[in-house]
Amino acid sequence: MTQSERQKIWPELLKDCGDNGRIIYHKDWSQTVLGPIESWPVILQTSLLTCLESRFPIGLNWGKELIHLYNDAARPIVEGHDGKSSIGSPISDVYSEIWQIIEPMFKAVLELGHSTWVEDQLVLTNRNNFIEETYMTWSYSPIRDEHGVIRGTTCSVLETTGKVIGERRLRMLQEMASRANGKNSVLEACRECIDILKDNENDIPYAVLRLVDSNLNKARVVGSFGITVPDRAIDDVTDHYHPALVKVMETKKPLFVNDLPSDVKIERDVSAGPKTVYVLPLVDKFSNDSSVIGFLSVGLSSKRPFDDDYKKFLDILSNQVSASIISARSQELALLKSREEAFQHASELSRGEINKLSQLLDASKDHVFILDREGRYIYHNQATANALKANLIDQGRGSEPTLNRNGIEMNFEKDFLKRFTDARLKAFTGKAANVDVLFPTLEGPREFECILSPMYDENGNVVTVAGITRDVSDLKQSIKVRDEFLSIASHELKTPLTTLKLQSQLRTRMLEKGKVDFFSVDKLDKMFHDDDMQINRLNRLVDDMLDASRMNAGKIELHMESFDIQEVVHDVLNRLSLHLQNNRIDVKLNMQPVVGVWDKYRLEQVFTNLLTNAIKYGEQKPITIETKIVNDELVMSIKDEGMGIKKDDQKRIFQQFERAINSSSVSGLGLGLYIVSEIVKTHGGEISLESRIHRGSTFIVKLPLKTKLINS
Ligand code: ADP
């Protein structure tokens, strides 16, 4: 057979070389860079025939353009993306996505004649009716013609999917065994498991881990990724997700759940295939009845067949997750046991002392307690119990205190808990520690100071911490009031003193200058009157302060005599007449004679204070004074039509230093009403107040006609 005859008939051989052989045979190559098929060089013919007849995936790339030809075995790999034939296309078009990676390899083959290869390359392969995640190792070798010139390349491929995926899964199982095991708490173990699962999205695109609480018969979500699941309990869900878990619990076998409830949202892109969750039971194989302790629900890869290998892998995985949880659970129990033992030890050491003192401690208003290293109450007195109870009510948790053990963790605000814990730990290092806290009580929040001191055992180790918590609100309030008073008092005393000082300086200057006019009789008269006013004011302030302090000490003495209360009213009005006239204040009297046995000087003080207040706060409106006898008692009222007193302030103003007004607007020490009410009380009487804001105030004093001395 001649060369040209052979060229003519060689394409016939392609007809017996599978589908791709026939495609190549029927294709019109005359319009392509390869030219009519009959003209193809012998080396291309033989290489192509060898390739097409092979059962392994093999391809070849010919000419400068690297025109791609391949056999049937290579079709799933080459046509994986869209199933379209790539026969006759340049290789750079066929693998356009990875051309950048493989171009240098082709160059090495074509320019240098070196064989090159790629190992375990991910190739998305269209086979078994879905796009599959597969891995291939392939190599390129040169095709030389009879002159040794490189005309193209062959490409042989070896599938390594099983190896790559097998290794990946094994690695994950090893990770699970080494990282998730031996954790101290179940939650920590669960978190670690989820973290490890998250690292292998190819096999587990999303997962939910639930733990069964056998006491409550509920399964709680303890971790998830790639999916949003509402945290629902087994026994309080009615949709179909719930029976699936129940079934897995009964059968202890995995189960597929299709059609997820609408509130379960898958976040990961697992577009292909049904949205299926594979629910595996987490079984405690060491328990008597192999109980189910939880569920591992996983998403399945849509790019891998759910074959025996996949199933087995998930089985082993769920066993490992169970093992990690069980081991953490036993660690937790051991820790609890050792905590319990430490608690018992500390309790025993403290018991003796406490028994001796418990009655005394229960009588204390201070909170006295003893804590162990973990902050659990070994002892608390009654006041501590009451305080915690108040706190619970404050938080709307009901009236029963949860004491000892973890009580303290439950009852206090977060910031305090941290400071308290720090102080407790400091006390365990042997140093006393203080913490302040605004603590809710039945009367509202109050300030407490807590001192924690270390308590030692016979070996000199700190075993417990004793605490005393004291209500320091009153103390702090008194300090505040004292400081305020000092500043008001010095201001009040300074005002008349400054006036007197200025006057005296003025007079000295006038004398020095020989200005006799300044000292005429009428001017002197006014001067003495003004001085008298300032001195009286000073006197009154000092008297008030002395009186208040005597009254505080209970040292007020009454000098009784019989007189008509009208005398007192008239005397005081006379004394203040100039002032009343200057301020154009109208005083209405509505008085009956009332004779009684009282301390005249003190009652003058009462009336003076009440009238002065009516003038100070009465906004120059009329003042009405009434005296009468009702039920054998003197009833004296002083009524003004001024600014009035808010309801909230009406009780408070009878206490020392309390004022219901901005201190700079009207001067005063806040002592007058305190002195008045003390005098009235000492006479066995009472004082009351009726007032409306902007309408005025009426102070009503009731005194028995004959005082039974209460306090002398
Ligand atoms: P002081 O007048 O020196 O402040 P008091 O003890 O006499 O002290 O009075 C206490 C407070 O009661 C006053 O500061 C004022 O706010 C209020 N108050 C007393 N009397 C009256 C009144 N008649 N009208 C309005 N407020 C009054």
Side-chain angles (χ1 to χ4, degrees):
M1 192 187 296
T2 64
Q3 173 70 14
S4 68
E5 280 168 348
R6 197 174 164 277
Q7 281 295 92
K8 270 210 179 95
I9 59 157
W10 91 265
E12 298 296 321
L13 298 173
L14 292 169
K15 287 183 183 168
D16 293 329
C17 292
D19 289 347
N20 275 7
R22 279 186 287 281
I23 290 171
I24 295 168
Y25 175 78
H26 288 296
K27 189 173 165 77
D28 177 8
W29 294 96
S30 56
Q31 300 308 313
T32 71
V33 289
L34 292 186
I37 198 160
E38 294 81 9
S39 67
W40 289 6
V42 175
I43 184 69
L44 173 57
Q45 294 169 23
T46 46
S47 303
L48 181 61
L49 289 172
T50 318
C51 154
L52 290 175
E53 277 170 16
S54 169
R55 291 289 183 90
F56 286 102
I58 298 182
L60 61 84
N61 308 297
W62 191 259
K64 234 177 34 234
E65 294 79 7
L66 293 170
I67 299 300
H68 194 46
L69 302 165
Y70 52 95
N71 67 3
D72 285 357
R75 284 182 67 180
I77 304 167
V78 182
E79 299 168 9
H81 314 271
D82 49 13
K84 245 174 53 200
S85 173
S86 294
I87 284 180
S89 304
I91 191 78
S92 55
D93 287 356
V94 180
Y95 291 113
S96 53
E97 316 92 85
I98 54 168
W99 180 240
Q100 270 190 326
I101 305 170
I102 57 177
E103 189 185 12
M105 298 167 64
F106 277 100
K107 277 198 172 149
V109 178
L110 296 171
E111 290 167 14
L112 306 170
H114 293 163
S115 287
T116 55
W117 63 92
V118 190
E119 265 180 302
D120 301 333
Q121 176 75 33
L122 168 67
V123 181
L124 293 175
T125 310
N126 190 354
R127 65 183 180 197
N128 303 324
N129 291 331
F130 68 101
I131 306 278
E132 198 178 327
E133 172 199 7
T134 62
Y135 294 86
M136 306 288 168
T137 293
W138 66 79
S139 84
Y140 300 117
S141 324
I143 306 173
R144 294 173 196 271
D145 64 13
E146 60 274 27
H147 307 294
V149 178
I150 298 170
R151 306 290 303 275
T153 73
T154 58
C155 172
S156 47
V157 186
L158 187 70
E159 178 165 357
T160 53
T161 310
K163 182 190 92 160
V164 172
I165 290 181
E167 280 174 2
R168 175 172 85 201
R169 289 176 178 169
L170 190 65
R171 238 186 346 265
M172 180 170 186
L173 295 173
Q174 282 167 344
E175 279 272 283
M176 198 58 98
S178 65
R179 269 171 59 192
N181 252 322
K183 295 282 170 212
N184 284 335
S185 87
V186 170
L187 281 183
E188 214 183 317
C190 291
R191 259 200 302 272
E192 194 69 45
C193 288
I194 284 287
D195 275 354
I196 297 168
L197 294 173
K198 223 192 280 180
D199 281 347
N200 186 358
E201 283 172 45
N202 286 324
D203 286 319
I204 300 168
Y206 53 89
V208 185
L209 186 56
R210 288 181 173 82
L211 281 188
V212 169
D213 182 332
S214 48
N215 291 333
L216 298 173
N217 196 26
K218 286 180 177 184
R220 289 267 170 232
V221 173
V222 285
S224 67
F225 68 90
I227 184 168
T228 313
V229 256
D231 179 8
R232 293 175 301 202
I234 289 186
D235 56 354
D236 55 27
V237 241
T238 46
D239 59 61
H240 55 271
Y241 200 58
H242 142 55
L245 292 184
V246 175
K247 190 141 191 209
V248 173
M249 183 127 177
E250 276 168 12
T251 58
K252 300 187 173 102
K253 292 219 163 65
L255 192 79
F256 274 110
V257 180
N258 297 312
D259 306 324
L260 302 179
S262 56
D263 52 356
V264 171
K265 302 234 167 353
I266 295 170
E267 297 152 15
R268 295 282 158 91
D269 176 24
V270 279
S271 45
K275 294 199 167 163
T276 299
V277 172
Y278 190 57
V279 185
L280 295 126
L282 299 176
V283 179
D284 179 0
K285 295 212 167 111
F286 299 105
S287 67
N288 294 339
D289 55 349
S290 296
S291 55
V292 173
I293 56 164
F295 304 94
L296 176 64
S297 310
V298 295
L300 299 174
S301 165
S302 59
K303 298 193 180 75
R304 293 293 318 146
F306 191 60
D307 53 14
D308 276 354
D309 283 349
Y310 206 161
K311 253 189 235 149
K312 229 178 266 160
F313 160 66
L314 291 177
D315 273 351
I316 302 173
L317 192 68
S318 63
N319 280 339
Q320 291 209 355
V321 172
S322 321
S324 307
I325 293 171
I326 292 159
S327 110
R329 194 167 277 179
S330 59
Q331 289 280 7
E332 260 180 17
L333 283 175
L335 210 70
L336 216 64
K337 202 164 157 240
S338 72
R339 275 173 55 135
E340 186 61 29
E341 279 167 11
F343 182 77
Q344 290 302 341
H345 174 62
S347 304
E348 267 158 36
L349 284 169
S350 316
R351 199 164 296 143
E353 265 93 315
I354 292 167
N355 280 348
K356 277 184 248 157
L357 293 173
S358 76
Q359 268 189 340
L360 186 68
L361 294 175
D362 271 344
S364 162
K365 274 191 189 162
D366 295 341
H367 313 168
V368 183
F369 50 88
I370 297 178
L371 301 175
D372 78 348
R373 194 173 280 277
E374 317 269 348
R376 293 168 297 187
Y377 286 93
I378 284 172
Y379 166 79
H380 58 79
N381 70 345
Q382 196 52 47
T384 313
N386 294 345
L388 292 184
K389 194 165 174 173
N391 194 1
L392 286 175
I393 290 171
D394 183 74
Q395 294 183 13
R397 291 180 195 237
S399 59
E400 279 312 299
T402 319
L403 288 179
N404 69 35
R405 305 303 148 101
N406 296 319
I408 197 154
E409 262 108 350
M410 295 175 55
N411 298 326
F412 295 89
E413 23 133 357
K414 228 179 173 176
D415 167 55
F416 169 66
L417 184 62
K418 192 188 168 304
R419 288 185 291 121
F420 188 81
T421 309
D422 290 348
R424 191 184 77 232
L425 296 178
K426 185 177 168 198
F428 266 96
T429 66
K431 294 185 195 108
N434 282 33
V435 216
D436 290 336
V437 59
L438 202 64
F439 192 79
T441 71
L442 288 174
E443 297 105 52
R446 291 181 69 85
E447 283 182 72
F448 284 75
E449 183 185 71
C450 171
I451 302 168
L452 297 174
S453 321
M455 291 177 86
Y456 297 87
D457 67 4
E458 65 280 4
N459 303 321
N461 298 320
V462 184
V463 271
T464 53
V465 155
I468 295 189
T469 301
R470 179 163 294 170
D471 184 342
V472 288
S473 313
D474 290 342
L475 186 70
K476 292 213 167 156
Q477 179 61 19
S478 322
I479 294 171
K480 196 171 147 228
V481 167
R482 186 199 63 191
D483 292 344
E484 272 172 19
F485 170 72
L486 281 177
S487 86
I488 294 174
S490 44
H491 171 77
E492 289 293 310
L493 292 170
K494 242 190 145 119
T495 315
L497 272 178
T498 315
T499 317
L500 284 171
K501 194 169 173 199
L502 288 175
Q503 282 300 327
S504 115
Q505 282 170 349
L506 183 65
R507 285 168 213 163
T508 317
R509 263 206 312 280
M510 291 301 169
L511 261 185
E512 281 166 5
K513 288 183 183 169
K515 294 204 171 170
V516 189
D517 294 1
F518 192 77
F519 300 99
S520 67
V521 175
D522 51 335
K523 281 195 178 145
L524 274 177
D525 187 44
K526 180 159 181 335
M527 259 180 224
F528 290 138
H529 178 262
D530 287 350
D531 288 356
D532 213 37
M533 269 197 21
Q534 299 305 338
I535 292 165
N536 279 343
R537 193 171 164 194
L538 265 176
N539 234 342
R540 259 203 325 277
L541 285 169
V542 175
D543 278 350
D544 276 359
M545 280 155 71
L546 284 173
D547 273 344
S549 103
R550 266 193 224 114
M551 283 166 186
N552 263 337
K555 282 192 196 142
I556 174 169
E557 241 177 69
L558 298 184
H559 301 284
M560 302 304 214
E561 58 186 294
S562 176
F563 59 92
D564 185 345
I565 193 72
Q566 294 185 101
E567 291 171 28
V568 170
V569 174
H570 287 304
D571 286 353
V572 176
L573 281 175
N574 274 341
R575 230 183 311 123
L576 296 176
S577 62
L578 202 66
H579 190 70
L580 288 163
Q581 271 166 28
N582 288 345
N583 288 291
R584 295 169 202 283
I585 299 172
D586 185 15
V587 177
K588 294 179 191 160
L589 295 176
N590 184 5
M591 299 206 291
Q592 290 172 8
V594 183
V595 179
V597 180
W598 305 295
D599 182 323
K600 197 170 181 189
Y601 167 73
R602 293 295 178 192
L603 286 202
E604 268 178 25
Q605 236 181 323
V606 167
F607 185 63
T608 308
N609 271 324
L610 294 177
L611 186 61
T612 321
N613 279 353
I615 297 169
K616 278 200 310 194
Y617 307 108
E619 297 173 338
Q620 292 174 297
K621 300 207 178 118
I623 296 170
T624 312
I625 297 159
E626 248 185 50
T627 59
K628 58 186 174 192
I629 297 183
V630 181
N631 297 335
D632 277 345
E633 273 190 332
L634 156 69
V635 176
M636 174 169 71
S637 62
I638 294 95
K639 175 171 177 265
D640 67 63
E641 292 163 32
M643 61 171 63
I645 303 163
K646 272 198 290 186
K647 194 126 205 93
D648 287 353
D649 294 330
Q650 289 183 8
K651 236 178 150 168
R652 177 171 79 73
I653 51 172
F654 289 96
Q655 289 166 19
Q656 287 187 89
F657 315 125
E658 295 287 356
R659 308 195 69 206
I661 191 159
N662 187 332
S663 59
S664 60
S665 57
V666 184
S667 71
L669 289 176
L671 283 176
L673 286 181
Y674 170 69
I675 293 171
V676 166
S677 73
E678 286 301 305
I679 295 174
V680 171
K681 261 195 262 163
T682 321
H683 276 85
E686 60 187 52
I687 181 163
S688 57
L689 162 64
E690 286 164 11
S691 181
R692 280 172 66 195
I693 200 96
H694 306 310
R695 292 287 174 86
S697 313
T698 309
F699 285 87
I700 304 152
V701 173
K702 289 185 186 167
L703 291 182
L705 296 182
K706 201 163 176 194
T707 302
K708 285 190 215 90
L709 290 184
I710 293 181
N711 198 3
S712 60

